[in-house]
């Protein structure tokens, strides 16, 4: 039994942590989020150079190993700086889907460019009416000869505007909520009939509404078997869910530390407000939330690594429990900071925003609670 | 990171399982698993079986008759005991006074007291809390005034768990005057419960049972040789040992066992057209506890892994008492909810040994509420959960 990171993981953590501390302070991040593209190309190239973009991939695919534990090491540190570069969208989701569902020539064609920082991706899966159901797909792809003709709309696609290529979940057969009949297409973002409306998200990231109007896609751009894409999608989304759980644990740890520090300097009634037991116990409760969150994160990562990348119930357990923790830690941090906590000026409010969007990304706290519950009955 | 057990640990687990299967008396495991009232004889019988096996003193050093187990072995032991329904080892002798004696006592005291604790020949109880010294324990007032070779002890101890079974009591007493700082005015005394001047009176708790007592000391003469260590150092000794041993404090294994029982019960309990487990409102409450317990299990494993590598327990260990008791109490509460209408009857006798009448309610449903009431103590004793948060604030957050 051992909860330490390996030497390689330790080095990886040190290197990401150093970057966040030295080169990614809150003002730097703000400038990046306000730039036209919404992330820094320079940082992205640096990540490629340092090999961070190889972290999610197996050695067979040219990556560093791709274990869930490696992934949470990186994501936790990213979370501490609320990093906005599209690591999740391009490397974890887009790259993950290609590695999971693609054939050898597709992998060969694409993965090296992802890891080299030359290719930006986005995974378009949610739709205006799908909420958190991955099987709820109405975008259609009709086979015509050597092509698919794609029609429909995808919503809130992370990194949708900057992406060079879109991975799109489409329905090639069946009804709106059928598990069968979902396929995965790789679509050039500049293809005729693709319309993207980009915007900022409340937590400083970028996303887009994407409409597809008679887009013709070569049949060779189908990833995996036609109509059988859902299990692969679910597996990759679970991995991405674990990744943002780690990001949230990192963000919570910093939020707590900043709150504790603030109470030691802020004076009211002639004393630092850290002396008030009414606040002390709330910070103790925040600490408990962070550590319980960290524990369940480790549980899920270990389960995923032990089970060949599949750990549905464990991921839902983590997402649900960490979602509850994120809500509490974010809200309490703002409350304990007082007025300054609700200003745009201070970073704490921005951590609160990220900890809020986290709760609803890839399924809400409640959705994952029910998935954990139902997972048990279907296993029994 | 991994939570795999080594080959040796796996075979140790097999050994433990085989032992429990062969030696744990069925009547004791039935009582334990159903949360029924245990008699003194029940506890002693089990502890003597453990002693025979050489497993009575899990935490003691080998030289005094302990097992010398690693933290992981202790964890395996606690898990298997919970699953099998082994009674708790009464902590007062084995886990509380013995470590003080073998750490701070002199040779004579070790030889005089430790063997009888190991063999469960002598029952100990704890004399810490007083009517006006609860969370602020250091303000305790029971006085011990030196008179030749004796201390003369006067005062009142309270919440003395199973004090009515006890042969001996270990006490924190005030030996320093009013001008001495609290923490330097307290000494650690061992007192024979048969000494003249001691009287014990019951406190009946919400479950209707006598579990705790008040113990009165009226000019009790205690030989100076019964003092552990130096005069005025008692507070330090007590405190060191309070923070020392945290393995198992979260009672994760017991709560897991209880939660499994609760789920089976809910699945068998009718609720409308289906079972209580099909009731989404109830099922979600179970999931909430289950997730908290899952996180807690890994928090405990993290603490264990850190102790196993020789490091001090990390900050995560301070969580164990708070979350462990909260989870246990939530489970108790859900048992009451699961009992439904049969949470109301209070028929003490039907769970007592020898009852041959018609029981009220199914299974142990009628015992759910008393058990819930009783276990509200868990977040209060051993340093209330609020005191635990003070410790987190001071030791971890630096507030």
């Amino acid at each position: 039994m051992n909860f330490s990171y390996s030497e390689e993981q330790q080095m990886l953590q040190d290197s990401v942590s150093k970057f966040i501390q030295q080169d990614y302070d809150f003002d730097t991040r703000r400038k990046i989020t306000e730039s036209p593209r919404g992330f820094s190309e320079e940082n992205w190239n640096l990540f490629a150079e340092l090999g961070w973009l190889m972290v999610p991939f197996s050695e067979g695919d040219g990556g560093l190993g791709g274990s869930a534990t490696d992934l949470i090491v990186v994501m936790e540190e990213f979370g501490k700086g609320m990093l906005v570069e599209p690591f999740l969208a391009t490397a974890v989701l887009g790259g993950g889907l290609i590695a999971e569902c693609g054939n050898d020539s597709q992998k060969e064609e694409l993965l090296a460019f992802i890891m080299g920082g030359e290719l930006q991706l986005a995974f378009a899966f949610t739709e205006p009416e799908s909420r958190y159901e991955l099987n709820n797909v109405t975008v259609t792809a009709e086979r015509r000869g050597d092509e698919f003709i794609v029609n429909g709309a995808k919503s809130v696609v992370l990194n949708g505007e900057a992406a060079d290529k879109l991975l799109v979940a489409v329905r090639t057969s069946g009804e709106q909520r059928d598990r069968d009949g979902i396929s995965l297409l790789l679509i050039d973002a500049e293809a005729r009939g693709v319309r993207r409306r980009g915007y900022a998200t409340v937590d400083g990231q970028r996303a887009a509404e994407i409409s597809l109007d008679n887009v013709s896609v070569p049949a060779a751009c189908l990833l995996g078997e036609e109509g059988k894409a859902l299990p692969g999608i679910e597996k990759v989304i679970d991995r991405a869910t674990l990744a943002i759980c780690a990001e949230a644990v990192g963000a919570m740890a910093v939020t707590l530390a900043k709150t504790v520090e603030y109470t030691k300097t802020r004076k009211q009634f002639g004393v630092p407000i850290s002396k008030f037991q009414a606040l002390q116990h709330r910070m103790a409760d925040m600490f408990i939330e962070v550590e319980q969150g960290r524990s369940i994160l480790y549980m899920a990562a270990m389960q995923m690594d032990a089970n060949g990348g599949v750990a549905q119930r464990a991921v839902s357990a983590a997402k649900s429990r960490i979602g509850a923790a994120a809500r509490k830690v974010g809200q309490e941090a703002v409350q304990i900071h007082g007025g300054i906590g609700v200003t745009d000026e201070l970073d704490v409010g921005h951590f609160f925003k990220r900890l809020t969007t986290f709760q609803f990304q890839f399924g809400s706290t409640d959705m994952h609670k029910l998935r954990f519950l139902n997972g048990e009955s279907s296993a029994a | 990171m991994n939570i795999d057990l080594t080959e040796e640990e796996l075979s140790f687990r097999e050994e433990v399982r085989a032992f429990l299967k062969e030696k744990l008396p069925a009547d004791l495991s039935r009582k334990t698993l159903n949360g029924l009232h245990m008699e003194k004889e029940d506890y002693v019988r089990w502890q003597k079986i453990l002693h025979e096996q050489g497993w009575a003193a899990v935490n003691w050093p080998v030289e005094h008759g302990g097992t010398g187990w690693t933290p992981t072995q202790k964890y395996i032991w606690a898990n298997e005991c919970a699953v099998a329904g082994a009674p708790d080892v009464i902590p007062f002798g084995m886990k509380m006074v013995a470590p003080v004696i073998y750490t701070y006592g002199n040779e004579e005291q070790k030889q005089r007291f430790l063997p009888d604790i190991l063999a469960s020949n002598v029952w100990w109880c704890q004399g810490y809390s007083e009517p006006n010294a609860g969370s602020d324990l250091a303000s305790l007032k029971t006085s011990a005034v030196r008179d030749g070779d004796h201390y003369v002890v006067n005062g009142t101890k309270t919440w003395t768990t199973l004090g009515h079974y006890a042969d001996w009591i270990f006490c924190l007493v005030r030996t320093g005057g009013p001008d001495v700082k609290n923490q330097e005015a307290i000494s650690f005394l061992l007192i024979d419960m048969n000494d003249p001047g001691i009287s014990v009176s019951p406190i009946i708790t919400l479950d209707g049972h006598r579990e705790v007592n008040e113990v009165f000391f009226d000019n009790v003469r205690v030989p100076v040789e019964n003092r552990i260590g130096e005069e005025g150092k008692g507070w330090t000794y007590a405190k060191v040992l309070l923070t020392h041993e945290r393995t198992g404090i979260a009672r994760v294994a017991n709560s897991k066992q209880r939660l499994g029982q609760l789920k089976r019960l809910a699945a068998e309990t009718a609720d409308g057209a289906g079972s209580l487990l099909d009731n989404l409102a109830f099922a979600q409450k179970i999931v909430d506890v289950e997730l908290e317990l899952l996180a807690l299990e890994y928090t405990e494993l993290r603490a264990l892994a850190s102790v196993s590598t020789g490091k001090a327990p990390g900050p995560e260990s301070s969580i164990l008492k708070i979350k462990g008791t909260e989870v246990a109490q939530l489970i108790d509460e859900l048992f009451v909810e699961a009992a439904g209408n049969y949470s109301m009857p209070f028929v003490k006798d039907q769970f007592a040994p020898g009852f041959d009448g018609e029981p009220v309610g199914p299974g142990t449903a009628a015992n759910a509420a008393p058990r819930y009431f009783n276990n509200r103590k868990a977040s209060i004793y051993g340093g209330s959960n609020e005191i635990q948060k003070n410790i987190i604030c001071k030791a971890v957050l630096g507030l």
Side-chain angles (χ1 to χ4, degrees):
Chain A
M1 186 180 333
N2 147 34
F3 281 81
S4 327
Y5 291 144
S6 69
E7 210 171 304
E8 291 80 13
Q9 287 163 345
Q10 191 67 57
M11 282 166 55
L12 184 62
Q13 184 184 35
D14 290 348
S15 120
V16 183
S17 163
K18 204 174 125 197
F19 168 80
I20 295 294
Q21 279 175 30
Q22 294 180 354
D23 303 313
Y24 214 84
D25 62 32
F26 183 57
D27 284 338
T28 308
R29 176 190 185 267
R30 184 193 293 278
K31 289 196 188 82
I32 293 172
T33 60
E34 288 168 354
S35 69
R37 210 164 153 78
F39 69 90
S40 155
E41 296 276 2
E42 202 185 318
N43 282 343
W44 193 253
N45 291 332
L46 180 72
F47 297 174
E49 241 172 73
L50 293 170
W52 297 351
L53 303 182
M54 297 163 75
V55 168
F57 300 98
S58 71
E59 284 176 18
D61 287 336
L64 288 179
S67 76
T69 313
D70 293 349
L71 187 60
I72 66 167
V73 168
V74 174
M75 288 302 296
E76 183 183 344
E77 298 308 315
F78 283 168
K80 291 179 182 170
M82 293 183 283
L83 186 113
V84 293
E85 277 66 21
F87 181 83
L88 186 79
T90 294
V92 180
L93 285 169
L97 285 167
I98 293 165
E100 179 68 31
C101 309
N103 58 35
D104 288 346
S105 72
Q106 286 165 333
K107 286 198 211 179
E108 209 159 301
E109 202 176 307
L110 299 163
L111 292 182
F113 289 103
I114 298 170
M115 290 183 248
E118 295 150 277
L119 184 65
Q120 286 291 343
L121 298 174
F123 178 32
F125 62 103
T126 50
E127 298 183 0
E129 289 183 11
S130 66
R131 280 189 79 81
Y132 308 129
E133 275 187 323
L134 297 175
N135 53 303
N136 196 327
V137 175
T138 63
V139 170
T140 56
E142 218 176 300
R143 186 79 180 239
R144 268 188 221 155
D146 287 347
E147 288 181 337
F148 288 100
I149 306 298
V150 183
N151 278 291
K154 293 288 181 182
S155 55
V156 201
V157 179
L158 270 186
N159 202 33
E161 199 177 23
D164 305 305
K165 288 182 185 299
L166 308 171
L167 291 124
V168 185
V170 296
R171 183 157 291 290
T172 42
S173 66
E175 302 295 321
Q176 181 173 344
R177 296 179 67 234
D178 286 354
R179 289 184 58 85
D180 276 337
I182 296 167
S183 305
L184 196 57
L185 291 177
L186 186 70
I187 302 180
D188 195 308
E190 302 288 337
R192 182 197 293 264
V194 175
R195 246 183 2 148
R196 295 185 281 174
R197 180 178 168 211
Y199 46 79
T201 59
V202 290
D203 58 5
Q205 304 189 74
R206 294 296 172 96
E209 300 294 288
I210 296 180
S211 67
L212 303 136
D213 184 15
N214 283 316
V215 180
S216 51
V217 181
C221 293
L222 177 71
L223 287 174
E225 207 182 323
E226 185 175 325
K228 303 281 180 207
L230 190 60
I233 290 173
E234 286 175 336
K235 196 172 160 189
V236 171
I237 291 287
D238 274 341
R239 231 168 114 78
T241 306
L242 182 75
I244 61 167
C245 284
E247 184 191 353
V249 167
M252 288 195 295
V254 172
T255 304
L256 170 63
K258 284 180 182 292
T259 305
V260 167
E261 277 321 299
Y262 179 75
T263 62
K264 288 179 184 171
T265 54
R266 170 74 175 170
K267 283 189 177 170
Q268 288 288 276
F269 306 101
V271 291
I273 62 172
S274 61
K275 296 292 166 206
F276 300 141
Q277 202 172 44
L279 300 189
Q280 288 180 345
H281 281 199
R282 293 165 74 162
M283 290 186 272
D285 287 337
M286 289 165 75
F287 167 76
I288 293 171
E289 291 298 294
V290 176
E291 292 305 319
Q292 287 284 82
R294 180 181 297 287
S295 292
I296 208 160
L297 169 71
Y298 289 167
M299 181 283 298
M302 284 190 266
Q303 289 268 326
M304 189 174 271
D305 283 336
N307 296 315
V310 182
Q312 291 195 5
R313 274 196 94 215
V315 167
S316 281
K319 182 62 166 57
S320 179
R321 182 62 187 83
I322 297 172
R327 176 172 181 267
K328 174 148 181 162
V329 170
Q331 290 181 349
E332 289 289 81
V334 169
Q335 177 67 23
I336 292 171
H337 272 80
I340 195 78
V342 297
T343 65
D344 184 60
E345 174 195 337
L346 196 71
D347 51 5
V348 159
H350 296 262
F351 278 102
F352 169 54
K353 288 181 179 184
R354 179 64 192 123
L355 289 173
T356 302
T357 57
F358 159 76
Q359 295 167 49
F360 306 99
Q361 201 173 0
F362 306 134
S364 66
T365 303
D366 280 348
M367 187 221 90
H368 280 284
K369 193 189 289 184
L370 294 178
R371 187 175 180 241
F372 177 81
L373 177 68
N374 295 330
E376 181 177 51
S377 53
S378 69
Chain B
M1 290 202 296
N2 69 76
I3 52 160
D4 304 335
L5 297 178
T6 63
E7 283 301 319
E8 294 78 39
E9 286 161 353
L10 286 170
S11 71
F12 172 75
R13 190 173 68 184
E14 287 315 306
E15 188 188 351
V16 166
R17 283 180 182 169
F19 165 77
L20 289 169
K21 198 172 167 204
E22 193 192 342
K23 295 288 171 66
L24 175 61
D27 62 319
L28 294 186
S29 113
R30 189 187 65 87
K31 279 188 176 182
T32 306
L33 292 176
N34 291 306
L36 301 180
H37 195 66
M38 305 274 262
E39 306 294 322
K40 176 178 184 176
E41 180 278 329
D42 293 332
Y43 291 115
V44 172
R45 179 155 50 112
W46 176 234
Q47 289 185 192
K48 284 193 175 285
I49 293 172
L50 292 177
H51 177 52
E52 226 168 83
Q53 175 76 6
W55 290 356
V58 164
N59 293 317
W60 295 19
V62 179
E63 55 178 304
H64 299 304
T67 56
W69 286 345
T70 64
T72 308
Q73 283 178 305
K74 292 178 200 172
Y75 168 78
I76 292 170
W77 170 246
N79 256 303
E80 296 304 323
C81 283
V83 172
D88 285 335
V89 168
I90 292 299
F92 308 107
M94 210 63 88
K95 294 182 179 172
M96 292 178 167
V97 75
V100 177
I101 293 172
Y102 63 64
T103 310
Y104 300 108
N106 59 35
E107 270 318 303
E108 201 192 320
Q109 288 167 335
K110 291 181 203 174
Q111 282 172 22
R112 180 172 167 208
F113 293 110
L114 292 178
D116 279 338
I117 296 175
L118 191 63
S120 295
N121 294 332
V122 168
W123 189 292
W124 285 80
C125 65
Q126 182 192 42
Y128 280 13
S129 293
E130 296 181 4
N132 289 311
S135 287
D136 182 13
L137 185 58
S139 70
L140 59 89
K141 293 277 183 289
T142 295
S143 65
V145 177
R146 186 76 178 255
D147 178 25
D149 291 342
H150 286 78
Y151 288 107
V152 180
V153 177
N154 279 288
T156 306
K157 292 292 178 183
T158 193
W159 312 125
T160 315
T161 303
L162 303 181
H164 51 299
Y165 294 163
D167 306 301
W168 280 76
I169 182 169
F170 56 97
C171 288
L172 290 177
V173 294
R174 181 166 297 271
T175 42
D179 48 333
V180 184
K181 221 177 110 192
N182 271 349
Q183 280 77 356
E184 288 152 21
I186 292 169
S187 300
F188 198 103
L189 286 189
L190 312 180
I191 304 176
D192 188 335
M193 290 290 278
N194 291 316
D195 282 347
I198 295 185
S199 55
V200 179
S201 107
I203 300 173
I204 304 301
T205 45
L206 292 176
D207 58 348
H209 277 294
R210 176 185 191 176
E211 188 175 63
V212 287
N213 301 272
E214 279 193 292
V215 181
F216 303 97
F217 297 85
D218 180 15
N219 286 316
V220 178
R221 293 185 67 82
V222 179
V224 170
E225 68 202 41
N226 287 10
R227 187 191 71 222
I228 298 288
E230 292 175 46
E231 189 172 288
K233 288 280 176 66
W235 180 255
T236 315
Y237 304 152
K239 216 173 139 186
V240 164
L241 285 146
L242 271 180
T243 50
H244 188 251
E245 186 51 66
R246 288 184 169 274
T247 314
I249 193 173
R251 296 181 67 79
V252 166
N254 296 73
S255 286
K256 274 171 82 172
Q257 193 277 331
R258 289 266 286 154
L259 184 65
Q261 236 178 359
L262 175 66
K263 283 158 90 174
R264 287 191 294 278
L265 176 68
E268 289 161 8
T269 301
D271 183 70
S275 80
L276 189 55
L277 206 54
D278 303 324
N279 178 328
L280 196 56
F282 190 80
Q284 286 203 51
K285 290 181 197 171
I286 291 189
V287 173
D288 284 336
V289 179
E290 194 170 356
L291 293 180
E292 204 60 55
L293 183 56
L294 188 55
L296 183 65
E297 181 182 7
Y298 276 75
T299 299
E300 188 182 46
L301 288 170
R302 285 167 63 201
L304 190 64
S306 131
V307 176
S308 300
T309 53
K311 283 184 249 168
E316 66 278 353
S317 65
S318 53
I319 294 171
L320 299 176
K321 200 258 167 175
I322 298 174
K323 276 292 159 189
T325 52
E326 282 180 3
V327 164
Q329 290 177 337
L330 279 167
I331 295 172
D332 291 333
E333 199 177 349
L334 290 177
F335 267 103
V336 179
E337 193 170 337
N341 295 324
Y342 278 112
S343 61
M344 279 193 85
F346 183 53
V347 195
K348 266 171 78 175
D349 297 351
Q350 77 180 42
F351 301 111
F355 176 79
D356 58 359
E358 177 84 2
V360 177
T364 52
N367 196 39
R371 197 172 180 184
Y372 159 72
F373 295 141
N374 177 285
N375 203 34
R376 298 313 294 173
K377 70 190 175 189
S379 49
I380 300 168
Y381 66 45
S384 71
N385 286 11
E386 287 70 28
I387 291 293
Q388 304 298 327
K389 287 182 189 178
N390 288 352
I391 293 171
I392 290 177
C393 290
K394 201 170 160 193
V396 183
L397 302 179
L399 291 170

